[in-house]
Structures are given as C-alpha cells and as structure tokens.
Amino acid sequence: MGFEGIGAAVKRKEDGRFLAGRGNYVDDINRPGQVYAYFKRSDRPHARILRVDTAAAASAPGVVAVYTGADFAADGIGGLPCGWQIHSKDGSPMAEPPHPVLAQGKVRHVGDPVVAVLAETRQQAKDAAELIEIDYEDLPGTASVLDALKPGAAVVHDEAPGNVCYDWQIGDKAAVDAAFAGAARVVKLDLTNNRLVPNAMEPRAAIGECDIAGNYTLYTTSQNPHVIRLLMGAFVLHIPEHQLRVVAPDVGGGFGSKIYHYAEEALVTWAAGKLKRPVKWTAERSESFMSDAHGRDHVSTAEMALDAEGHFLALKVSTLANMGAYLSTFAPAVPTYLYATLLAGVYKTPVIYAEVKAVFTNTVPVDAYRGAGRPEATFLLERLVDAIAHDTGIDRIELRRRNFIPANAFPYQTPVALQYDSGDYETTLAAALKAADHTGFPARRQAAAAQGKLRGIGISTYLEACGIAPSAVAGALGARAGLYEVANVRVNPTGSVTVFTGTHSHGQGHETTFAQVVAEQLGVPVSQVDVVHGDTARIPFGMGTYGSRSIAVGGSALVKAMDKIIAKGKRIAAHLLEASVDDIEFKDGKFSVAGTDKSKTFGEIALTAYVPHNYPIEELEPGLDETAFYDPKNFTFPGGCHVAEVEIDRETGVVRVVNFTAVDDIGRVINPMIVEGQVHGGVAQGIGQALLEQAGYDDGGQIVSGSFMDYTMPRADNVPNIHVGTESTLCTHNPLGVKGVGEVGAIGSPPAVINAIVNALEAYGVRHLDMPATSQKIWSILQAGAPRMAAE
Amino acid sequence: MPQVTLTVNGKRHTVAVEGRTLLVEVLREKLGLTGTHIGCDTSQCGACVVHVNGDSVKSCTMLALQAEGAEVTTIEGLAKPDGTLHPMQEMFREHHALQCGYCTPGMVMSAIDLVAKHPEGLTEREIREGLDGNLCRCTGYHNIVKAVAAAWPLMHAKPMPAAAE
C-alpha cells in the first residue's frame, strides 16, 4: 500500500456503490407489507380549521387509515420539541409554542401538515387525499419579520404576543455606547441575509415499522439518528430508547436540513405502531420546499465606531431573525450563539454589543443551513468593512490588515464570549491575494472594459466556529443535549478494524477519512478498516454530523478510543514479549520492546486478544474493543480569505463569477482531495446565495418559489472553476489539530461575491447590494442613469 | 391495466402499468433498479436520467407506456459483467466528482451522452452547458467537469482535440 494516512488523497471507499447505482437511500428501502403515507398540507399561510371531512378519503380504494391532529390529541401526544432554549434580555425564557405533529385548530404556514392518508400504494394515498375537504377561515398572514413586528400584525401563536419569540442580547452595551460617543467616525449599514431553501438532492423520506412486541424501527434521512431517537422517543411518542431503533442509511446530502426532527418521522412511526404495518413516506420536491427547514432570513443594522485611522473601536448590531411558524429543533441557537458570538470575526474590535429579536411569521420554520449563523455574521461584517472602506477612502485590504487579530495574539478572547485558540489571518490573506493574482486585476479590468464588461474583485476575510462545545458551556447557554461524540473501535481477531461512529456521513466521505485516521494511528491499511455510521442499534451513541463537527469531535473520539486500543495492546505485547509495559513502543503497526528487535505485529496482538491461550488473563480481559466519549474543550476556529472576481454584462445585468479563490485555515488536513471537494461545494452554495437563490413569499405568506422552476439553484454553468488552497495553523485543543471544513465555503464566499459586484459597480455609486444580486437587480442599477465611467 | 414491454440493461421485461405511471416509477418500483433517483417533481434536477434507445432522457418526463419496445440503460447497466466500471464512472471516482451520490447516477448518464455526442471534443464551457439539466448540491460541479473532460479521451480512444481544450 502507498501512504494512506493523514494527508493522503485517498480515493473514496464509498464511491464504488454510489457509482454502480447500489447506494441504499431510504426511498430505496421497501419493507414487507408496507403502506404509503401522503400528507394533505395547508395551502394557506394562516387559517383556522373549521371542518375536516375525511370520510370520502377513508373509503377510497386502497386506503388503510386517515389521521388528523385530533388523533394525536386523543393519544395524548404533544408536539415536536425544541432542542435549545434562549432567554431574553429580561431573563424570561423564549416563547415556545406547541408544534403539533398534524395541525390542531389552526394552520400556520403553507405546507403545515393537516391530514395523513395511508394507503396500499403511493398513488392511492395521493388520490384519496384529493377527496379530503377542509374548510378554513383565512386569517391575515405575515412573511417578513418587519411586517410581523408591526402593531396589529396577525399573531401566529397566542403564546407569543407581538410575534416575538425572544429578545436577546450579548456584549457590553454601556462600553459600546461610550466608544461610539468618543468615535471619530461611525459607519452604518442596513442589510438583509436572504432566505434560502437547503435543497439536498435527496428529498426527505421515512419508514416506520413496529413489531408485535412493540419494538420500533425508523429509517429516516437524518444527519443524526441518535438525536432523532432521543427527541422522538422521549419527547414525542414516549417510546423507550431500547425499543426504538433509528437507521439513517445512505443519505443524499443534508446541509443542516436533515438535522431536525420532523413531523413526518413521528407520524410514520406512530402509525406503524397503530397498524402494525410498515409505513413509508417520501417527500416530493414541492413538499421539500414547504416543509424542510429553511435557512438565514435576517434583517440587520450594523454600526462600527472608528478612530481617525480606521481602527475599529466598537461594533453595534441589531438583528431580526425569522423563526418561521414554529421553532425547529435548533432554530433559537442559530441567530444567537452561532451568529452574534461570531461578530468579532477576524478583527480585534475591543467592544461589541448585539441584540437579536427572533420573530414568528407564517412561513416554513427556519433553522441551521450550511454555516448556520456564521454566514450571516460574516456577510454582515465583511460588507460592513467594505462599506467602511468606501466611506473613509481607506483601501479595503489595508483596512482589514489594520484591524486583524495578529498571529501572535492567540489564544484570543473576543468581547462576545468566544476564545479563539489559533489562526493567522495575514497568511491566508496574502496567500489568497497571490493565488488570485490580485495585482494583475487592473489589467484584467481594463481588458474586460474593452469588451463592454464591468469587472470587479472582492475579498472576504472570515472566521467561523465549529463543533459546538464543551457540553457544560452549551448547556449553560440553553442546549438541551450534550455535544460530545462517541467512537467504538472494534479490532477484529484477524487485525481488521471496524469503527462505529456517532457522526453521520451524507456526502462528507467519513468512510474514507476516518479510515485514514485509523491507518495513521494503528498502521492498518484503509482497505482493512470499515466505518459504520447511521444506526442506533449498532453504534453506542452519538450526536451526529452538523456544524463541521465530525472530524474535530468525532475524529477526536476515534483517536481516544484508539489510544485505549494501543494501551491494551501494549499490555498484551508486554506479556508475549516478556517485557515491562513501560518498555513497549507502538509504531508503524508494530509493538516492540524499546531498543531491541523483539516485536509483535498489530495482527498478532489482535489474534492473541481473541485467542487468549498465552495471555495475562488474571489482569486483563480478552478482546480488543474500546469505546470513547470525547467532549471538546472548545470550539474550533477555521478561517481564511476568499477572493471573487466577477464580470457584469452591461446589456443584460448578468453577473458571471469568472475567478474564485479560497485559501482556508482548516487545521490539519486529513484528505486534501475531500477537503477541496468540500470547499468547492460550499463555495457553489455561497455563489448561489449571492447571485441566484431566494425563498420567495408574498406579503401574506404564500410561497412563490415552490419548485426548481422558480427557485434558482446554481447549475454547472453558473459557477467557475474554484481555486482552493490551505494555509493551516493547528487546533491546539484536539488530538488531531483539525478544525473542520464542511461549511467554510458557504461562509466566506457570499460577501466576497457581493464585494466584487459592488466593486464592479463603483462608478454607479453603489455602496451596498443585498443578495441575491440577480441580473434584474443589476440591470435596474445599470439602467438608472448612472454616471459615465470616467475611468474608461 | 395496460402492459408495456421494454428491455432494460439487456433484459426484456413486460410489466402492467397505469396510464399515468412514469418510466422512473417502473424502473424503481417494478424492476427494483433503485440506482435511478428522483430528486424533483418538475423535471428540473436530472437525478433520474437514463438512456432510452441511446439518448439521455429524464425518466420522470416519460410515461412508461412511451417506452414500449425501447432499449433502456440505467446506471446499473453501465459496468461490465465482471464489475469493470465504464470510463465515466471510473473518472468520477478518480476526480472525486461525487459526494452524497444522489445526483451521481443521472449525472453520469447525462455525461456519457454528452461526451458520446461530441466526437469533435468539448470545451469546459460546453461541458458546463451540457450538464445544465443536472443539479448537484454537493460538489460545486468543479470535479464533475474535470471528470467528464478526463473521460472524453477514454471514451473516444484518442486525445481530446487541442482546439477543444
């Protein structure tokens, strides 16, 4: 074998089955005797349910059962729980209105499930749903946070007067006010962060099953099966954990949208218990648009106080965050602890104050989507920095350098709770500018101008926080779960290794990267390592995959479990080699007595552990199988610099990203091929947010972008080749020195693209543009009688 | 119920279908060929692309009855019986052109048709435009474009014409 350990671009182990069409996604699974569920959903944003008549549907061909909210109420089943509690400025807990599995009394967003029809075939269920009659009394609805906060606005939940979920703050307001009072200058920017639909390519699906003894299995498109088991079993359906198995097999992308516990999962499991038949549901894409948690949707004002030289003195931010109609699993944490705590960014702003009001509207719930809070913070900061440059005349790059946290200042305590362990923002900036040939830009701009195109360049220097931690801190901040990770390393008798991880791979390639970590540490070839995830019956426990936590937290648990394997292996080797344990070294897959040529291979030790004929049986159990729980000491802090270069067609307003460079500090790189792929994908999503994507609602809450025909996803011809580089500082507090790479692309890129567009339009007096920068928006600016460009 | 007879991956099948049944539903639900995926309901995503009589077709856009007498190839039918992958599959692996794998079967089927129908070669721009009907949310397309370009010489058994590169 060639080198397969940490740092090798090993080809993926999982690709074989995917390329052959042999993946095993939830909708590929069929269980004997299964029935199909179809949901009749609200087509109204906000209405009282006056009457539901399911009689015709119930007697339609093939129909097995029809359920409404009343059936859940009759069964004493409450609603879907929220996993994070935020407290308002005044100390009061957030408004936490019930979220029933099927609507009870009212519908609160288009897509709210009202009736479930179960039939022998998918088509029969769908046909029968057409026969359901629902009488609604329409109520006024709201889609935007600004409308929902207006006096007299329709109230989504009686439990949340004025539609406020919480009114939260962080930072030292008095210190910030004082700094503003003494500032040489204040620069202010109003901005929005556009609402997005995650749109993993695999629509959500779930199959519930219950055997005669009351043991349940749920197959679901989840990023965290143990979390679903905990939430659904303990808080919704009251099924004890030992009688509920949750399987998340191959999952076709998540990006956050498959973290949460959804109503459909609860329904198929509950109905399977009633019917004692498997119940299968697969979303159609139009259902995804109205039932998968959306992302972003902030309206903010940001103000920076500056001294005469452009040093940042204080930052003040006020944000309205749309929660949608119900609180999704982690929604309250996103605009608070994943957003406002990131407002220092890469800058040494000494004091920061942020207030965040979370608001209910008649829209699909909003929760974490790739980056979750951090893209919103980054967009705000990096747009604000460019606006400061615009207003003060200080060069955008020089302004950033002037305010960077220097590389020798780590660990660095920010004024908004986080303590960064490592980073070097000057290095990533310099590397990105070089790779993007920043100095050659004026010539490229001139060449573009000669062809009638406006060319602009923009940068963002960003930072993010991955792997929420430690559990005790998260708990103090309102998390209702732990945030550790679990690994079980089972060395098989012949020396091959099976890793059971509580993280979940839905595109990230853990079967390969986790095997590489094993190869590095135990000297076992990647081909001899199997990585198992996504099944609560096989894996001890775990919190799943989100927030770029898998390698930082799950990888650390894996290392910790392997440390135990090595420690036990040394004791077995000491016995076999008749040496003291202290003299045994483990290196390159061999246990040796230090300073001698006496050694035993890893395979020999494994076999001895399971065939303990010559074994220290009095002091050591047989077997070689260890489990570790790892609770991180801190977040990890990836950061870097993204450079976007755009060309704008003056006739059409079409923006093309012509060059994109990302230089990221993600800590130690396990597999550079996979790292680049993660950045490519994140950047494409960021370009999608910047140029194309907008979850559209009319003012009353009706969805106007309900399919791929009117929600613009980035396609192959919308994105450029993406140059990816890494300049790493190592994480100081986890054993692998890793930071995480899943979200950096989507965090750094949107402001880089918008900064480039604003740069291209500088002669048109543009200071700021909200996303998406559609061709229509740009065309309108170009048509608005802009001054002739003197530079031409 | 009407019947349709079609050949899928070299094997002849006769199946009873409703008039409204889509080709993709026959492949997935009647024939158990779950490699062909469904990613949308508006024929926008391309996860369901298969070859029908040698052309790439979104199998959610075609009624099963329209496939009467057709030769259909799905992702499962690409590799040789001994498991040797088609060059396009091989290049997808080589260039890390897949992550979650969900769009991959449709993407591979579209890419094969694109390359086969362009014996004169393909520029990067043409590859990007040629894959316009297939959505991928994971890869940012970067490595897919590289894989398709790398498969061209293997499929045509000659170097990509210089003008196209």
Side-chain angles (χ1 to χ4, degrees):
Chain A
M1 86 187 181
F3 174 64
E4 301 183 320
I6 292 173
V10 175
K11 303 289 177 235
R12 296 205 319 171
K13 287 165 70 83
E14 40 275 87
D15 286 359
R17 67 178 186 274
F18 292 140
L19 284 165
R22 307 287 179 182
N24 182 39
Y25 301 90
V26 174
D27 190 55
D28 300 342
I29 297 169
N30 291 296
R31 303 294 299 158
Q34 74 191 11
V35 299
Y36 295 82
Y38 182 81
F39 290 87
K40 176 87 174 176
R41 297 175 185 276
S42 171
D43 53 3
R44 321 293 168 102
H46 196 194
R48 223 178 298 284
I49 301 169
L50 301 180
R51 185 181 70 100
V52 180
D53 184 348
T54 60
S59 58
V63 171
V64 174
V66 179
Y67 298 116
T68 67
D71 295 298
F72 284 86
D75 239 15
I77 289 168
L80 308 177
C82 181
W84 202 297
Q85 187 182 47
I86 297 293
H87 285 80
S88 288
K89 289 171 185 171
D90 63 6
S92 62
M94 67 186 188
E96 204 171 346
H99 183 183
V101 176
L102 294 176
Q104 296 181 7
K106 259 173 91 170
V107 290
R108 293 183 173 84
H109 68 88
V110 172
D112 212 353
V114 183
V115 185
V117 182
L118 279 65
E120 299 291 345
T121 72
R122 211 187 292 264
Q123 280 302 338
Q124 285 172 332
K126 208 170 165 180
D127 289 346
E130 294 285 326
L131 304 173
I132 295 167
E133 288 180 22
I134 305 174
D135 288 346
Y136 290 111
E137 178 197 347
D138 283 316
L139 301 167
T142 54
S144 89
V145 287
L146 296 171
D147 286 344
L149 290 174
K150 283 179 184 158
V155 174
V156 181
H157 295 278
D158 295 340
E159 295 84 351
N163 293 317
V164 175
C165 172
Y166 57 76
D167 183 6
W168 174 90
Q169 65 181 352
I170 191 168
D172 187 338
K173 187 169 190 298
V176 167
D177 286 343
F180 270 77
R185 182 162 194 166
V186 170
V187 172
K188 183 178 170 192
L189 185 67
D190 294 320
L191 69 179
T192 66
N193 203 284
N194 46 328
R195 185 185 184 104
L196 304 176
V197 183
N199 277 324
M201 290 317 300
E202 177 204 26
R204 285 190 298 116
I207 305 170
E209 204 173 333
C210 179
D211 71 13
I212 208 74
N215 296 304
Y216 289 82
T217 302
L218 169 67
Y219 300 88
T220 184
T221 49
S222 175
Q223 300 177 211
N224 31 233
H226 286 89
V227 174
I228 300 305
R229 185 181 67 167
L230 177 68
L231 291 174
M232 185 179 80
F235 298 102
V236 186
L237 300 181
H238 312 299
I239 302 168
E241 279 147 319
H242 68 287
Q243 289 191 295
L244 174 57
R245 175 185 178 195
V246 178
V247 182
D250 287 329
V251 172
F255 314 113
S257 68
K258 292 172 181 169
I259 297 171
Y260 324 115
H261 176 41
Y262 286 99
E264 297 87 355
E265 294 168 323
L267 185 124
V268 298
T269 309
W270 175 82
K274 295 271 169 216
L275 300 172
K276 294 291 185 285
R277 289 180 70 178
V279 179
K280 179 171 182 173
W281 167 77
T282 304
E284 297 181 355
R285 179 60 62 182
S286 40
E287 285 185 280
S288 310
F289 274 95
M290 56 177 140
S291 68
D292 292 4
H294 291 181
R296 319 282 193 255
D297 204 346
H298 284 193
V299 176
S300 297
T301 297
E303 291 175 88
M304 188 74 86
L306 303 154
D307 72 10
E309 284 80 44
H311 294 109
F312 303 163
L313 300 179
L315 174 66
K316 194 167 10 177
V317 172
S318 173
T319 291
L320 304 175
N322 201 333
M323 293 285 104
Y326 301 100
L327 288 179
S328 177
T329 310
F330 289 111
V334 176
T336 48
Y337 294 109
L338 294 176
Y339 164 73
T341 53
L342 272 295
L343 287 171
V346 294
Y347 308 112
K348 51 189 182 193
T349 315
V351 283
I352 297 173
Y353 174 73
E355 51 189 357
V356 178
K357 205 176 270 187
V359 182
F360 289 110
T361 61
N362 296 108
T363 62
V364 174
V366 179
D367 207 325
Y369 164 62
R370 199 172 197 168
R374 292 149 287 161
E376 295 91 315
T378 302
F379 184 71
L380 178 142
L381 271 180
E382 292 305 293
R383 279 302 306 131
L384 180 61
V385 172
D386 263 31
I388 295 167
H390 174 273
D391 291 5
T392 61
I394 302 171
D395 175 76
R396 318 178 262 180
I397 295 167
E398 169 54 27
L399 179 65
R400 284 176 167 84
R401 287 192 160 125
R402 211 170 279 182
N403 288 285
F404 273 165
I405 298 161
N408 62 8
F410 296 93
Y412 179 82
Q413 178 63 51
T414 75
V416 274
L418 299 179
Q419 190 186 75
Y420 306 161
D421 68 317
S422 58
D424 183 351
Y425 312 126
E426 175 55 43
T427 296
T428 44
L429 170 67
L433 292 177
K434 182 158 183 261
D437 185 23
H438 190 260
T439 51
F441 174 72
R444 295 195 294 277
R445 170 176 266 190
Q446 211 165 17
Q451 296 181 356
K453 301 263 171 74
L454 298 164
R455 196 163 174 125
I457 194 164
I459 72 165
S460 84
T461 49
Y462 76 94
L463 167 136
E464 64 139 333
C466 299
I468 308 176
S471 290
V473 172
L477 300 179
R480 288 166 168 162
L483 289 151
Y484 49 84
E485 200 41 77
V486 185
N488 170 220
V489 175
R490 183 176 301 166
V491 180
N492 301 305
T494 58
S496 68
V497 175
T498 310
V499 172
F500 299 86
T501 172
T503 64
H504 187 276
S505 182
H506 29 281
Q508 296 89 340
H510 296 170
E511 288 168 50
T512 306
T513 47
F514 280 43
Q516 286 182 254
V517 174
V518 173
E520 176 80 25
Q521 195 159 347
L522 298 183
V524 176
V526 162
S527 65
Q528 295 296 301
V529 183
D530 192 27
V531 178
V532 178
H533 59 81
D535 186 346
T536 62
R538 300 183 70 191
I539 294 138
F541 202 74
M543 300 310 295
T545 286
Y546 45 83
S548 306
R549 70 192 299 275
S550 298
I551 198 69
V553 190
S556 298
L558 175 58
V559 168
K560 209 173 148 191
M562 286 192 291
D563 286 345
K564 294 185 189 179
I565 293 283
I566 293 167
K568 185 168 181 182
K570 282 183 177 175
R571 293 178 68 184
I572 300 170
H575 175 83
L576 293 178
L577 297 169
E578 296 175 333
S580 154
V581 176
D582 297 338
D583 292 336
I584 303 290
E585 291 174 342
F586 180 67
K587 209 179 152 215
D588 300 331
K590 268 189 191 162
F591 294 92
S592 333
V593 181
T596 75
D597 59 357
K598 292 201 320 185
S599 69
K600 291 283 176 189
T601 65
F602 185 75
E604 287 174 302
I605 296 300
L607 191 63
T608 304
Y610 287 95
V611 187
H613 295 166
N614 176 14
Y615 196 83
I617 203 78
E618 295 297 326
E619 55 195 75
L620 209 56
E621 293 170 19
L624 201 50
D625 185 331
E626 298 287 350
T627 298
F629 282 56
Y630 175 83
D631 200 70
K633 297 181 184 73
N634 191 357
F635 287 83
T636 62
F637 297 98
C641 177
H642 289 191
V643 185
E645 204 164 320
V646 301
E647 264 188 15
I648 297 172
D649 184 306
R650 282 202 209 174
E651 300 302 317
T652 62
V654 169
V655 179
R656 244 185 72 200
V657 180
V658 287
N659 289 321
F660 198 95
T661 305
V663 176
D664 301 300
D665 172 2
I666 57 159
R668 195 183 304 285
V669 171
I670 307 294
N671 182 323
M673 176 190 83
I674 286 176
V675 159
E676 287 181 22
Q678 288 293 309
V679 176
H680 294 153
V683 167
Q685 282 175 315
I687 291 174
Q689 169 164 28
L691 298 183
L692 306 168
E693 298 182 39
Q694 173 71 55
Y697 279 93
D698 73 9
D699 290 345
Q702 185 58 252
I703 294 182
V704 294
S705 62
S707 79
F708 287 146
M709 299 184 74
D710 34 36
Y711 183 92
T712 317
M713 293 274 281
R715 292 177 184 271
D717 51 358
N718 297 125
V719 288
N721 279 319
I722 297 159
H723 175 87
V724 178
T726 49
E727 288 289 340
S728 289
T729 61
L730 298 185
C731 172
T732 60
H733 58 77
N734 66 39
L736 291 168
V738 291
K739 296 186 179 179
V741 69
E743 298 163 294
V744 294
I747 292 168
S749 57
V753 173
I754 296 297
N755 287 347
I757 295 172
V758 171
N759 177 247
L761 296 173
E762 63 187 356
Y764 289 75
V766 175
R767 178 176 179 260
H768 174 67
L769 261 182
D770 274 323
M771 302 183 288
T774 59
S775 49
Q776 185 189 11
K777 205 180 271 181
I778 305 292
W779 184 84
S780 301
I781 292 167
L782 296 174
Q783 292 298 306
R788 298 288 298 170
M789 291 177 74
E792 269 179 60
Chain B
M1 211 181 272
Q3 288 194 333
V4 60
T5 298
L6 70 174
T7 303
V8 182
N9 300 333
K11 201 170 156 195
R12 211 171 141 84
H13 299 272
T14 298
V15 285
V17 296
E18 287 185 66
R20 61 182 169 176
T21 302
L22 303 171
L23 177 57
V24 67
E25 293 170 330
V26 166
L27 295 174
R28 288 185 57 81
E29 289 167 23
K30 305 267 182 185
L31 306 183
L33 294 168
T34 54
T36 301
H37 296 150
I38 300 172
C40 75
D41 45 13
T42 53
S43 289
Q44 298 280 306
C45 82
C48 66
V49 170
V50 298
H51 293 171
V52 178
N53 298 325
D55 290 325
S56 65
V57 167
K58 287 178 174 172
S59 61
C60 74
T61 316
M62 190 169 170
L63 296 169
L65 290 172
Q66 292 176 291
E68 177 64 35
E71 293 272 348
V72 177
T73 306
T74 70
I75 189 77
E76 291 95 338
L78 283 185
K80 291 187 182 150
D82 69 356
T84 309
L85 295 178
H86 184 281
M88 189 63 75
Q89 291 170 303
E90 197 52 62
M91 289 303 99
F92 265 59
R93 184 211 292 270
E94 182 68 25
H95 291 277
H96 185 35
L98 64 153
Q99 290 183 25
C100 81
Y102 199 79
C103 78
T104 308
M107 195 68 83
V108 166
M109 299 310 282
S110 288
I112 289 172
D113 191 44
L114 177 68
V115 170
K117 297 224 169 105
H118 287 85
E120 77 287 3
L122 284 163
T123 63
E124 185 210 319
R125 196 76 213 150
E126 286 166 340
I127 293 171
R128 288 186 179 275
E129 283 167 6
L131 295 177
D132 195 42
N134 291 72
L135 287 173
C136 170
R137 195 56 152 169
C138 293
T139 64
Y141 305 100
H142 181 105
N143 286 341
I144 292 175
V145 173
K146 280 206 292 190
V148 174
W152 194 100
L154 300 177
M155 283 177 63
H156 290 288
K158 60 179 183 187
M160 178 93 83
E165 278 183 346

